[in-house]
Amino acid sequence: NHNTTALHHGLNVTYDFSRLNPVVGYDLGFWRRTGNFDLTYGLNAAIRTDLRQVRFGVCPTVGIKVWQLHVQTGYQFLLKTIDPRLL
């Protein structure tokens, strides 16, 4: 049976060199492999901050799992910026 469902989470740290701006984030989501060409489909909840502003969003993903390697790609749909002083 090639049907697999998994939860995942991860910490993201990036640096925007064009603006000299660090971006820190966290993802929480799931993916499911249905057995069709070993493709996986998933959805992540995301939070991103540059330490001045906070943005929340979702990211639909598609990926492929070969052996123990799982590669996913998707697009993050982020909501409007939230001022952290309002949280």
Side-chain angles (χ1 to χ4, degrees), residues 38-74:
D38 287 331
L39 292 177
T40 62
Y41 309 96
L43 186 67
N44 299 333
I47 182 171
R48 297 289 183 267
T49 181
D50 63 359
L51 308 178
R52 292 184 305 267
Q53 304 172 27
V54 177
R55 296 181 81 180
F56 295 92
V58 296
C59 178
T61 62
V62 64
I64 189 164
K65 188 167 189 305
V66 179
W67 300 303
Q68 295 299 315
L69 178 65
H70 186 201
V71 178
Q72 290 182 322
T73 188

Side-chain angles (χ1 to χ4, degrees), residues 7-40:
L7 294 174
H8 66 88
H9 61 91
L11 178 67
N12 297 290
V13 179
T14 60
Y15 194 82
D16 181 358
F17 288 101
S18 67
R19 297 185 183 145
L20 302 177
N21 187 27
V23 177
V24 180
Y26 186 78
D27 290 344
L28 178 65
F30 74 95
W31 59 264
R32 179 166 173 77
R33 182 171 64 175
T34 61
N36 298 333
F37 307 106
D38 287 331
L39 292 177
T40 62

